[in-house]
Amino acid sequence: MSRFDLTVLETAPKIPGKPRHKTREVKVGDKVFGGDNPIWVQSMTTTDTFDVDATVKQIHALEEAGCELVRVTVPKPEDAGALSKIKEQIGIPLICDIHFDYKMALAALDHPIDKIRINPGNIGGNDRFRQVVRKAKHKGLPMRIGVNAGSLERDLCEKYEFPCPPAMVESALRYLEIAEAEGYHDMIFSLKSSDVLVAVEAYRLFAKLADYPTHIGITEAGKPPYAVTKSAAGLSPILLDGIGDTIRISLLGDPVPEIAAAFDILQATQRRVRRPELIACPTCGRLAIDLEKIIAELEVRLAGKQLPVKISVLGCVVNGPGEAREADIGIAAGNGQGMIFRNGEMVRKVPEAEIVDGLMEELARWEAENPHKIPAVKESDKTGRRKLQLV
């Protein structure tokens, strides 16, 4: 008889992870945030917005990387004046970013943008915030209300003594109530901090109190690769809690790598799986095949495939068979041959030289048998460039 209370195990969920936090839906261009819609990946340009050619070039690079929304900063009138020219040359929703000057927010709303992002704590008071809300409502445009630990209102810093999660959430709720009093509900909220623990708890607190979609991110994360690790450490608990409707990884320098990092974090937390996941054992002393060569070849053969499938490649007989059974397609290999598993059952043995071909053949069979698991794509050629976009 065990000295442990095993009833805890009997009542524990067999499949880990919390369901998605249900939020109201908010439309941003051709994307819908919240509800059961995908967690959209976005980024922000680093160019001077008024330099249309440079900005559009960078947005095109982000689009090619898979970016689904893009934000540009609008601190000056000439930046607002460039928005129309930028918008007509890109194929993803355009968001304008406003800080300090509420008049720039009002000016930007006169252009064909898809969303406005403001930080109410630094635009000079509630009356100015109301003016922006009223114009956004009149234009039928959504708004991201960005609460940031680094620019929290003075009265809240004094009340809580420092920019802690309760202070950030109270700030967000303050502006939520002001906007709702104006009859405006097309809002998305972010509660960002460069401190991982502060950000995680702030998003958790907000989700307990409100049903608006959230934009999640760790602000000022720094330089890769540490910044990617820090973002993953902060965003994974939030995502595993079911919180988050759009994501941005903030990296120093070129924004294009932010896209791959975001999709990797979504994939690892199983909140948005849109490509094959390759599972491989470490190269320990039990390894009995050229695993690095096999994985490198598989990566080339799987490039571009948008299939939510787990492929496990194990190179020894200790854990290999059991772990291969847990994947959609798996192989336990050693001593010059491999056993291929599909859906938990061994289907055949192949020589080591045929492992990659054998796995690809089983992948084709899995794809034919599971059409319902394959994400739909829709085609967009708004800019004259054909591209497939995961929905």
Side-chain angles (χ1 to χ4, degrees), residues 60-379:
H60 286 172
L62 286 165
E63 287 181 280
E64 292 300 324
C67 183
E68 295 166 318
L69 303 98
V70 68
R71 180 160 44 113
V72 298
T73 186
V74 184
K76 304 180 298 298
E78 54 264 41
D79 297 314
L83 294 172
S84 297
K85 292 179 180 179
I86 293 170
K87 175 65 178 173
E88 66 188 16
Q89 297 181 64
I90 66 174
I92 55 178
L94 180 64
I95 306 162
C96 70
D97 186 80
I98 305 295
H99 283 283
F100 304 116
D101 190 352
Y102 80 104
K103 292 180 182 178
M104 291 310 307
L106 298 176
L109 287 166
D110 286 327
H111 295 273
I113 60 173
D114 296 292
K115 186 175 74 170
I116 185 169
R117 185 270 194 191
I118 67 168
N119 184 338
N122 67 20
I123 63 168
N126 294 345
D127 289 340
R128 292 178 176 181
F129 174 64
R130 287 190 181 92
Q131 290 185 54
V132 178
V133 166
R134 289 166 186 162
K135 188 160 186 177
K137 179 184 176 183
H138 175 71
K139 294 286 186 176
L141 289 173
M143 175 189 301
R144 171 157 72 97
I145 295 178
V147 174
N148 194 299
S151 56
L152 206 61
E153 301 94 301
R154 181 178 298 177
D155 68 309
L156 292 175
C157 288
E158 292 174 352
K159 175 179 178 179
Y160 291 95
E161 298 183 347
F162 63 97
C164 58
M168 294 171 65
V169 173
E170 183 169 338
S171 175
L173 297 177
R174 170 183 292 176
Y175 297 112
L176 183 158
E177 291 180 332
I178 291 172
E180 285 187 337
E182 296 289 338
Y184 183 71
H185 299 88
D186 292 330
M187 292 178 287
I188 296 150
F189 286 82
S190 62
L191 301 100
K192 291 189 179 183
S193 172
S194 58
D195 185 304
V196 164
L197 301 182
V198 171
V200 170
E201 190 58 26
Y203 279 105
R204 285 173 172 167
L205 281 173
F206 183 79
K208 289 178 181 178
L209 296 168
D211 66 350
Y212 282 92
T214 51
H215 166 122
I216 61 172
I218 302 299
T219 193
E220 300 156 356
K223 183 181 178 181
Y226 174 70
V228 176
T229 303
K230 182 176 181 179
S231 294
L235 298 181
S236 294
I238 299 169
L239 290 164
L240 291 171
D241 277 354
I243 299 165
D245 302 283
T246 181
I247 183 173
R248 192 254 172 128
I249 308 302
S250 299
L251 303 181
L252 176 67
D254 182 1
V256 170
E258 295 181 359
I259 308 308
F263 278 117
D264 282 350
I265 292 170
L266 291 174
Q267 178 105 5
T269 54
Q270 298 183 33
R271 287 302 176 183
R272 190 174 174 192
V273 178
R274 64 168 209 159
R275 59 179 171 78
E277 180 174 0
L278 268 179
I279 300 167
C281 61
T283 49
C284 72
R286 297 192 301 267
L287 193 65
I289 60 170
D290 190 349
L291 188 61
E292 290 187 63
K293 179 182 177 182
I294 291 171
I295 292 296
E297 189 175 343
L298 274 173
E299 286 179 333
V300 172
R301 298 277 292 272
L302 292 170
K305 288 190 176 295
Q306 296 181 338
L307 303 173
V309 59
K310 284 189 177 182
I311 301 174
S312 183
V313 185
L314 292 309
C316 78
V317 297
V318 177
N319 297 318
E323 293 184 4
R325 285 188 174 94
E326 294 176 10
D328 297 304
I329 302 165
I331 190 158
N335 300 320
Q337 67 175 1
M339 297 181 292
I340 297 182
F341 295 80
R342 182 159 51 87
N343 299 326
E345 300 292 332
M346 193 186 82
V347 293
R348 57 176 162 146
K349 292 183 180 181
V350 294
E352 181 175 341
E354 299 176 16
I355 282 177
V356 174
D357 286 338
L359 285 172
M360 294 304 296
E361 290 168 5
E362 294 305 323
L363 177 61
R365 293 189 178 96
W366 181 92
E367 187 175 357
E369 293 172 1
N370 295 277
H372 61 288
K373 293 184 178 180
I374 300 170
V377 295
K378 66 180 181 179
E379 197 168 306

